[in-house]
């Protein structure tokens, strides 16, 4: 019988095999991952599935009893087109609906509003009236289908339309089942599809809590979202901490409005991103359940259901690549497995083409079948929490609990998440992490297969879905006009005035905004009219981007290519007598600003004079800002498919002002098929997903007349 080997013996053997290489790994979260874990690393008993603190799952049987709900987040063009897409997917095995709305709808504008000409129907379905909502769910029984709606800013009219659509389908609102996102704090941090300032936005949330707790017992009144934080660049610790802190804040607001915590907390749900750090994502979901149980116990919840964190998950959009896109099938499969092993209650899997466009039927089928194959073919669902008891997973779970709790404690010490968001430090923390991540990718320290390693010499074009924005907008305007012509105008205006008065009055059951919006929806008020009625009292909110400094540059100390571009910027500065000036412009109603902020931060670190334009600009407003700021280049950041409308209009308006000398470049989610269209319109540089930011800066210097050598020729500097 041989003696049991010691850890020291293992360490010596491992070091010999790797010739002394350090096998420890420091994650972006600041957690050091060891190459070997033992029983000594497990310091907390995770308990059993279905029992507090629910580390191992919210149900005792988990997927052995019933698998997670297969959802697909989808919506595009008109309600008719989206309805047909939903019905095809449901027939093919999808179990729940998850609705994506276009940006005009998110921002509370009807499709006929002049600010949304490039946004209607492009990144989701356009919903202007109750008639749109009824068409969206035509043939889909709302008393039998769970419906999730990703909506925050215009949540009041959208939820009102959903309630009335159910009524007119013959479904009592007490039978409506599903979830609304209704998470406005996250919007102020990262996604930016807000309408009103923070304080009235929080009133809206508590009004929805009150209405749904009384009238819609099966409906989840909020989905507290970390997803968009990770997509904006947050580490998993940041996503975890800020999401739980948001949930604590919402629970407090509900209690402050007079609700008993156990009357609404059981209908709160969560929404997390699942990226490519496989074990970290599994541990994150387990840690989230521990933290929520702890937080709700502290707030005084008595019911175990109130303390039970239930979550929807979605695979990462940021991990998808334009280059070598079929790799995205594998990425999504790995992420789906992580969500499943972490214990999600429902899941959306992204399609392989979503780095550049809305999914086609072909790509959506692959994404949906990824989940069905895991459920039906792998046997993974037959064991409850199969990774429970893993030394690594249990240790990582506890490390995430501890690291996230530190951030939550800071939030609490400063008065809660609403005050932290107002102070701006959570957003700054996330933007710092995003800039650091981009630098690691550009330096190939974080490998992305097909982008910064193993890249194809030639890329085949991928067939993508293209929406005729003008045609959709024309159809929507026709329906708006028809609804307005056929409604009882006096009754509609009276309902809108009652809503306006309620918004101006103190919060109470009698002034509940959702209750008044339901009456306005019944009277055929449009989404824009309902939003505007509240805006009369609440006003419309706007912020100015403030990019971080020095974070992108830090890893490049001593890098020869970085120095070459710095020298190029300085050469242009000497020639112009000032620094080259770049306006980073966000036109249209897309609030996702991760890419724009990274470009602003990186170009600023490289020595450019950078002007970060406000969100939600029109092309005309962008031209005014460009001329007033005296810029050399306008960089238009696009994510929501408005590039074929908004960027050509920007160029034409610059021409009208006689300023063809100002270069226009474009970056973001732009399908390669559209590159020639944009070049013909006058765009002089196009930088899609996966573009190296340092090389983008080098190319801009060439546009400004500097003779920059290509990458790899640093010795020529």
């Amino acid at each position: 019988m041989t003696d049991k080997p010691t850890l020291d013996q293992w360490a010596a053997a491992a070091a010999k095999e790797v010739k002394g290489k350090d096998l420890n790994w420091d994650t972006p979260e600041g957690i050091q991952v060891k190459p070997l874990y033992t029983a000594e690393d497990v310091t907390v008993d995770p308990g059993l599935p279905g029992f507090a603190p629910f580390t191992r799952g919210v149900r005792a049987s988990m997927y052995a009893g019933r698998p997670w709900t297969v959802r697909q987040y989808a919506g595009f063009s008109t309600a008719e087109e989206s309805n047909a897409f939903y019905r095809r997917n449901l027939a093919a095995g999808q179990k729940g609906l998850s609705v994506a709305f276009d940006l005009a709808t998110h921002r509370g504008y009807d499709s006929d509003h002049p600010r949304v000409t490039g946004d209607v129907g492009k990144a989701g379905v356009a919903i202007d009236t109750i008639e749109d909502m009824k068409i969206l769910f035509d043939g889909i029984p709302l008393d039998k289908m769970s419906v999730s709606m990703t909506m925050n800013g215009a949540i009041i009219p959208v939820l009102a339309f959903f309630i009335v659509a159910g009524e007119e389908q013959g479904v009592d609102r007490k039978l409506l089942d599903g979830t609304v996102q209704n998470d406005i704090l996250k919007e102020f941090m990262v996604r930016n599809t807000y309408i009103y300032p923070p304080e009235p936005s929080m009133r809206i949330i508590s009004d929805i809590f009150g209405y749904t707790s009384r009238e819609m017992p099966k409906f989840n009144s909020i989905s507290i979202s970390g997803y968009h934080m990770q997509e904006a660049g947050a580490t998993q610790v940041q996503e975890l901490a800020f999401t739980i802190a948001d949930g604590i804040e919402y629970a407090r607001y509900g209690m402050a409005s007079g609700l008993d915590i156990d009357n609404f907390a059981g209908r709160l749900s969560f929404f997390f991103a699942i990226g490519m750090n496989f074990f970290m994502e599994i541990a994150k979901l387990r840690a989230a359940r521990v933290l929520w149980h702890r937080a709700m116990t502290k707030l005084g919840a008595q019911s175990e259901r109130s303390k039970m964190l239930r979550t929807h998950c979605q695979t990462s959009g940021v991990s998808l690549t334009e280059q070598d896109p079929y790799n995205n099938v594998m990425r999504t499969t790995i992420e789906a497995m992580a969500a499943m092993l972490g214990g999600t209650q429902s899941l959306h899997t992204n399609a392989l083409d979503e780095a550049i466009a809305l999914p086609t039927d072909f790509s959506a089928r692959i994404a949906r079948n990824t989940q069905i194959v895991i459920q039906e073919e792998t046997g993974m669902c037959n064991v409850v929490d199969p990774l429970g008891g893993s030394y690594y997973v249990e240790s990582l779970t506890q490390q995430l609990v501890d690291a996230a709790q530190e951030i939550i404690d800071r939030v609490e010490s400063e008065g809660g998440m609403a005050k932290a968001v107002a102070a701006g430090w959570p957003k700054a923390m996330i933007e710092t992490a995003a800039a650091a991540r981009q630098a690691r990718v550009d330096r190939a320290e974080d490998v992305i297969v097909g982008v910064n390693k193993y890249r194809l010499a030639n890329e085949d074009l991928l067939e993508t879905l293209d929406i005729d924005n003008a045609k959709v907008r024309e159809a929507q305007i026709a329906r708006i006009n028809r609804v307005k012509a056929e409604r009882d105008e006096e009754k509609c205006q009276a309902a809108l005035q009652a809503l306006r008065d309620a918004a101006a009055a103190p919060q109470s059951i009698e002034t509940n905004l959702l209750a008044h919006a339901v009456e306005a929806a019944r009277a055929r008020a449009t989404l824009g009219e309902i939003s505007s009625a509240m805006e009369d009292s609440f006003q419309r909110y706007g912020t100015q981007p403030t990019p971080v400094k020095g974070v992108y540059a830090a890893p490049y100390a001593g890098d020869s290519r970085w120095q070459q571009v710095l020298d190029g910027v300085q050469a242009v500065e000497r020639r112009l007598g000032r620094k080259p000036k770049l306006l980073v412009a966000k036109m249209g109603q897309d609030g996702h600003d991760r890419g724009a902020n990274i470009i602003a931060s990186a170009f600023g670190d490289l020595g450019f004079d950078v002007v970060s334009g406000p969100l939600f600009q029109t092309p005309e407003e962008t031209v005014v800002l460009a001329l007033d700021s005296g810029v050399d280049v306008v960089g238009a950041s696009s994510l929501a498919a408005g590039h074929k409308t908004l960027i050509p209009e920007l160029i034409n308006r610059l021409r009208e002002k006689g300023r063809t000398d100002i270069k226009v470049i474009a970056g973001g989610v732009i399908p390669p098929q559209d590159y020639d269209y944009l070049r013909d319109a006058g765009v002089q540089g196009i930088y899609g997903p996966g573009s190296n930011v340092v090389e983008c800066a080098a190319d801009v210097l060439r546009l400004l007349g500097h003779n920059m050598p290509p990458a790899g020729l640093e010795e020529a500097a």
Side-chain angles (χ1 to χ4, degrees), residues 5 39 54 77 163 168 177 222 334 363 388 390 398 413 518 550 581 615:
F54 308 106
S77 185
I163 292 166
E168 298 189 6
D177 186 10
I222 193 168
I334 291 165
S363 66
S390 157
Q398 190 57 43
S413 71
V518 167
K581 200 165 193 178
L615 298 174

Side-chain angles (χ1 to χ4, degrees), residues 434-669:
R437 160 69 172 169
Q438 186 63 45
R440 292 195 304 272
V441 170
D442 286 347
R443 290 174 55 79
E445 293 166 359
D446 287 2
V447 172
I448 301 178
V449 174
V451 176
N452 60 13
K453 197 172 184 180
Y454 312 111
R455 185 155 185 170
L456 292 173
N458 297 293
E459 298 275 356
D460 294 330
L461 287 180
L462 190 68
E463 182 180 344
T464 56
L465 182 66
D466 188 31
I467 304 297
D468 186 339
N469 164 245
K471 183 178 178 181
V472 174
R473 188 166 185 260
E474 182 180 318
Q476 289 300 120
I477 292 173
R479 183 173 294 143
I480 291 170
N481 292 338
R482 187 162 60 250
V483 167
K484 287 183 176 180
E486 294 174 356
R487 71 191 183 187
D488 182 331
E489 190 64 24
E490 184 176 346
K491 183 178 179 181
C492 179
Q493 293 304 321
L496 287 170
Q497 186 58 49
L499 174 60
R500 195 174 289 113
D501 293 342
Q507 185 177 23
S508 68
I509 292 178
E510 290 72 27
T511 61
N512 185 282
L513 297 171
L514 180 55
H516 284 282
V518 167
E519 293 302 320
R522 289 185 182 126
R524 270 34 191 185
T526 69
L527 175 133
E529 289 173 324
I530 293 172
S531 294
S532 181
M534 292 186 290
E535 188 179 336
D536 287 344
S537 293
F538 297 158
Q539 305 304 308
R540 187 169 279 267
Y541 185 74
T543 57
Q544 183 74 27
T546 52
V548 298
K549 296 179 180 179
V551 176
Y552 188 89
Y556 280 95
D559 183 275
S560 56
R561 182 57 171 172
W562 176 268
Q563 188 59 50
Q564 194 177 57
V565 177
L566 275 175
D567 292 343
V569 173
Q570 290 167 6
V572 172
E573 181 179 357
R574 288 192 296 271
R575 176 164 53 83
L576 297 176
R578 57 171 174 78
K579 291 183 177 182
K581 200 165 193 178
L582 168 71
L583 167 61
V584 179
K586 285 288 295 181
M587 295 182 294
Q589 297 304 304
D590 169 40
H592 294 85
D593 59 356
R594 171 181 178 158
N597 288 339
I598 286 173
I599 291 297
S601 297
F603 273 62
D605 287 354
L606 279 162
F608 282 80
D609 186 356
V610 178
V611 178
S612 288
L615 298 174
F616 314 124
Q617 286 200 302
T618 64
E620 183 177 22
E621 289 166 342
T622 301
V623 168
V624 171
L625 181 57
L627 298 182
D628 288 348
S629 302
V631 301
D632 306 294
V633 182
V634 177
S637 175
S638 175
L639 184 70
H643 53 272
K644 290 173 71 174
T645 303
L646 299 169
I647 298 176
E649 184 179 346
L650 167 70
I651 293 169
N652 288 334
R653 289 185 177 275
L654 284 171
R655 286 172 178 161
E656 289 171 3
K657 298 292 185 181
R659 294 303 306 272
T660 56
D661 59 305
I662 296 178
K663 319 293 184 187
V664 175
I665 60 175
V669 180

